[in-house]
Amino acid sequence: MAIYKQINGNQNNRRVTPKKDKNKAYLNEIKRQQQRQAVIIRMFITVALFLIAIVIGLFYVGVNTDFCKETFGEDAAITKFFDKMANDNANKANAEFSLPFGPKRQNVLLLGVDASENPNDLWSGTRTDTIILVNIDPRSKSVNAISIPRDSKVYLPGNHGIQKINAAHAIGGVGMTIKTIENTLGVKIDRYIMVHDNAVKSIVEALGGVDVFVEKNMNYDDYSGKLHIHLTKGTHHLSPSEAVGYLRFRHDPMGDIGRTHRQQWFLRGVLNEIKKPETVTKIPDIVSVARQYVKTNMSFYELTQFAMMTKHLDMDKVEIATLPGAPNKKGHISYWILDPEKTQEVVDRLIYREKVQPEEGVQFTASVVYAESKAADAQTIIDELNTAGIKVSCKSHISKTHSQFVAHSAKVTNEYFNHLKKQSPSIAGYQFVYEPNVYMCGSTDFTVVVAGK
């Protein structure tokens, strides 16, 4: 398959080392990353996701024109705008859109780009610091998302050789980025949405801030980059500059993994903000930012249909994963070397929706990791899992501030998780994550993270 062709080719110069040495090399790479001056990531997975969520909220509220009339008045420009949108949707005769995007699953590529050196063109010559592939299934009204690390080592089409994947846009624009991902992962990309770096601060400003639980004290000053982060552990209503700092903070023992988790929790904060009734009054400002900083080949009608589908979307059922791999340095260039077999598993599971059925009578194994303050809650979950016939083979303390259900085996599906919640109600509301090669406490089929604040 395409993944093996692309990724195995990238590993020709990679020295095969024992597992112990690989772990040591990984930890050394993390230490080197912390010692180097931070190269600020301009955009993250969440930036693209939360902007789409804002569009969702915008159009979802907008189609309720009665609400707009009561809030803004019947003759207000914004009321007329949404009234026209609703009429256009009602008159649309294309049967393909009886379900959002049509009845078939679609892949939407979300891209976040850094600042351009051309003041007259926000997009030319920019690199994609955020790359996330979203699979939308209109029939089940479900969404899966794969984060593609920006340092992934790939072949670029058109004889451009081996590069980091984030260079594709700078060299050949969105077309080359799409072609590179299609060739590497063996998928078809149907639509794209691109978000500029400047959108983060502007969108949070338009929303009036976002509520987020900051998992630890964050203190960092980069005077040359004009970045100053000073946040204490606890719940904060992040201002625009604080939100940017929260997303850009780099000093984590696990590098990009910590940032990825923050992006996910920030997204939830944005979604909660959108649900507030007062958000409707901020719509004009949000529209203005979106027009300036969002680029897409999706039609206005497709965006509204996407919004219709998301009314029924349960964030707890969204399945996410990062393409598995390991850091590798060649000279002065650091790459993320994708693991071919594990990457194929992620693509098959989240994009092609292939399910591995467990053998009859198989017993799943579980790990339960928990904050010291949540020992009683963890024991309740352990008892529930034991009653459900699951062997809890590993228990340990961990410093986490967000509860998760992390699947490591392809046999542990989202459907299984939803079934398990009936037997173990204490894990209801936990976020489902698929990480086939990241274990927190022994090699088990899944890990339950009981976080504390």
Side-chain angles (χ1 to χ4, degrees):
M1 295 189 68
I3 292 176
Y4 287 91
K5 180 180 178 182
Q6 286 280 101
I7 301 174
N8 282 335
N10 295 341
Q11 292 180 307
N12 288 338
N13 298 322
R14 184 184 176 193
R15 181 171 61 89
V16 178
T17 57
K19 183 176 181 181
K20 187 174 182 179
D21 289 342
K22 288 182 180 179
N23 291 337
K24 183 178 180 180
Y26 180 79
L27 293 175
N28 288 337
E29 174 65 18
I30 295 301
K31 291 179 181 178
R32 285 193 293 270
Q33 287 179 1
Q34 292 177 325
Q35 292 168 355
R36 291 195 299 261
Q37 180 178 0
V39 179
I40 299 173
I41 295 178
R42 302 290 183 181
M43 293 285 283
F44 300 99
I45 299 170
T46 312
V47 174
L49 281 176
F50 90 74
L51 277 177
I52 287 181
I54 289 170
V55 173
I56 290 167
L58 167 65
F59 292 127
Y60 172 49
V61 174
V63 294
N64 187 349
T65 53
D66 288 339
F67 183 78
C68 289
K69 290 176 182 177
E70 294 173 3
T71 305
F72 300 106
E74 189 169 350
D75 296 327
I78 191 170
T79 303
K80 293 179 180 179
F81 171 77
F82 284 124
D83 189 49
K84 182 179 183 300
M85 183 191 74
N87 290 331
D88 288 345
N89 287 342
N91 295 331
K92 195 75 174 181
N94 191 342
E96 180 184 359
F97 291 96
S98 57
L99 287 171
F101 298 118
K104 67 176 183 178
R105 292 196 300 267
Q106 298 243 345
N107 295 320
V108 179
L109 183 64
L110 308 182
L111 301 171
V113 301
D114 58 13
S116 172
E117 295 181 359
N118 183 353
N120 300 318
D121 188 342
L122 291 175
W123 311 102
S124 65
T126 56
R127 290 179 176 253
T128 48
D129 282 336
T130 296
I131 308 172
I132 184 165
L133 183 60
V134 177
N135 179 263
I136 302 171
D137 186 350
R139 292 191 182 278
S140 64
K141 296 183 176 62
S142 61
V143 174
N144 291 340
I146 298 177
S147 170
I148 303 174
R150 63 175 188 162
D151 290 342
S152 298
K153 189 177 182 182
V154 298
Y155 285 106
L156 299 189
N159 298 319
H160 289 284
I162 295 176
Q163 300 267 4
K164 293 183 179 182
I165 197 169
N166 72 336
H169 187 266
I171 295 172
V174 69
M176 180 176 286
T177 300
I178 290 173
K179 188 66 175 176
T180 300
I181 295 172
E182 289 181 336
N183 291 346
T184 302
L185 301 184
V187 299
K188 172 66 176 175
I189 295 174
D190 302 288
R191 298 287 190 273
Y192 75 86
I193 299 177
M194 191 155 51
V195 182
H196 194 271
D197 173 51
N198 294 344
V200 184
K201 193 171 183 178
S202 298
I203 286 292
V204 176
E205 185 175 3
L207 283 172
V210 177
D211 289 330
V212 173
F213 183 85
V214 178
E215 68 274 17
K216 62 183 178 181
N217 293 334
M218 295 181 179
N219 291 288
Y220 176 75
D221 289 289
D222 178 6
Y223 293 94
S224 62
K226 298 181 180 179
L227 178 66
H228 304 281
I229 306 169
H230 298 286
L231 294 170
T232 57
K233 181 178 179 179
T235 301
H236 291 262
H237 188 71
L238 298 182
S239 68
S241 59
E242 289 174 335
V244 171
Y246 175 74
L247 290 174
R248 287 182 174 178
F249 188 77
R250 296 179 59 85
H251 295 270
D252 290 291
M254 294 302 290
D256 278 332
I257 294 176
R259 289 193 296 276
T260 299
H261 289 167
R262 278 196 294 278
Q263 294 154 22
Q264 295 164 9
W265 303 121
F266 184 67
L267 170 61
R268 284 175 174 253
V270 172
L271 290 175
N272 289 334
E273 199 69 36
I274 290 171
K275 294 176 182 178
K276 296 179 180 178
E278 58 266 29
T279 298
V280 69
T281 63
K282 305 168 185 175
I283 286 175
D285 291 334
I286 295 171
V287 171
S288 177
V289 173
R291 284 176 176 172
Q292 184 176 2
Y293 295 122
V294 177
K295 182 179 180 181
T296 180
N297 62 349
M298 292 173 62
S299 70
F300 182 79
Y301 183 74
E302 286 173 313
L303 287 172
T304 60
Q305 290 295 292
F306 184 30
M308 296 296 185
M309 186 196 78
T310 56
K311 289 191 297 183
H312 307 284
L313 183 64
D314 184 350
M315 281 299 297
D316 291 329
K317 295 181 181 179
V318 174
E319 188 165 346
I320 61 175
T322 300
L323 288 185
N328 178 271
K329 192 169 186 178
K330 186 173 179 62
H332 297 289
I333 303 175
S334 296
Y335 291 103
W336 182 258
I337 306 298
L338 300 175
D339 181 311
E341 293 184 5
K342 295 296 184 181
T343 294
Q344 187 68 63
E345 286 181 14
V346 169
V347 172
D348 288 344
R349 176 178 178 134
L350 272 69
I351 303 301
Y352 292 108
R353 308 278 181 138
E354 294 181 4
K355 302 299 182 184
V356 178
Q357 296 298 329
E359 298 177 4
E360 187 175 353
V362 67
Q363 183 183 36
F364 283 122
T365 58
S367 299
V368 177
V369 297
Y370 55 94
E372 292 187 29
S373 61
K374 295 293 182 179
D377 294 342
Q379 187 58 52
T380 299
I381 291 174
I382 291 170
D383 293 340
E384 291 173 348
L385 294 177
N386 287 333
T387 302
I390 296 166
K391 181 182 178 181
V392 179
S393 58
C394 187
K395 297 178 289 184
S396 71
H397 291 160
I398 195 168
S399 178
K400 292 285 186 180
T401 53
H402 298 289
S403 297
Q404 294 179 317
F405 181 94
V406 185
H408 307 301
S409 168
K411 297 177 182 178
V412 181
T413 63
N414 210 325
E415 288 80 2
Y416 172 77
F417 174 50
N418 291 325
H419 168 74
L420 183 60
K421 285 189 288 188
K422 298 176 183 178
Q423 300 172 285
S424 178
S426 298
I427 62 175
Y430 280 35
Q431 183 187 33
F432 185 96
V433 179
Y434 181 50
E435 291 187 350
N437 62 344
V438 179
Y439 297 100
M440 304 178 211
C441 177
S443 179
T444 56
D445 294 309
F446 63 85
T447 300
V448 178
V449 181
V450 188
K453 296 184 179 182

